[in-house]
Amino acid sequence: MEHKNIDNEFLNNKLLDYEEIANVTELKVGDHLRVTSNVYKQPGKRKCSYIVLKEKVTQENGDVTWIVNSYKPMYSDWGVSFSNPYKQYRAYKKKEKPYTGKCDICNMCVSQPYTRCYGCKNPL
């Protein structure tokens, strides 16, 4: 997208291997995303969350709100509206890695669809 990246603080950790979704209208139920947004009453501070899209709700005025939840059952569902100018939501999706048959880190053989071997995925 052609705008200033306000999520630089997350690029080397939580958003590593993620790419920004240019068109949020293409999202569908079941998508797993990272979403960044402004923190309430803390100007300039942003947070990064992992969400799963559960339901799409279209308002009478045409605005779309997604009912979302994380993968942890302790959190209740909440709404996310990408058109909210105060929250300034940005959505990121995990980059698709092509299957090469080799571990991304150590080059050991891995079976499809994996891109990392057990040793690199679960270090001691």
Side-chain angles (χ1 to χ4, degrees):
M1 295 182 94
E2 294 295 323
H3 50 70
K4 181 183 167 198
N5 192 340
I6 56 178
D7 296 324
N8 286 331
E9 64 188 290
F10 303 116
L11 292 179
N12 292 326
N13 49 39
K14 292 184 176 183
L15 294 177
L16 192 64
D17 295 333
Y18 281 79
E19 59 190 352
E20 189 169 358
I21 297 172
N23 188 0
V24 293
T25 59
E26 296 174 358
L27 296 175
K28 59 189 178 309
V29 172
D31 282 349
H32 291 239
L33 310 171
R34 286 269 187 196
V35 174
T36 58
S37 63
N38 290 335
V39 177
Y40 182 66
K41 290 192 176 180
Q42 294 184 27
K45 184 152 175 69
R46 293 185 60 80
K47 64 181 178 177
C48 184
S49 306
Y50 182 86
I51 63 171
V52 179
L53 302 179
K54 290 181 74 177
E55 181 184 350
K56 183 178 182 179
V57 179
T58 304
Q59 310 294 332
E60 290 179 10
N61 63 0
D63 287 345
V64 173
T65 300
W66 283 95
I67 305 301
V68 303
N69 201 329
S70 72
Y71 58 92
K72 295 182 180 178
M74 69 176 124
Y75 299 115
S76 59
D77 295 351
W78 70 92
V80 170
S81 176
F82 291 102
S83 60
N84 184 332
Y86 302 108
K87 284 294 205 173
Q88 294 183 349
Y89 283 106
R90 299 258 178 98
Y92 297 85
K93 194 166 196 161
K94 192 110 173 145
K95 292 178 187 173
E96 294 283 333
K97 291 184 179 179
Y99 174 73
T100 62
K102 303 279 185 185
C103 174
D104 292 343
I105 298 171
C106 71
N107 234 12
M108 187 178 202
C109 289
V110 294
S111 59
Q112 198 167 5
Y114 303 107
T115 58
R116 292 219 173 130
C117 69
Y118 185 82
C120 293
K121 195 172 189 175
N122 300 306
L124 296 175

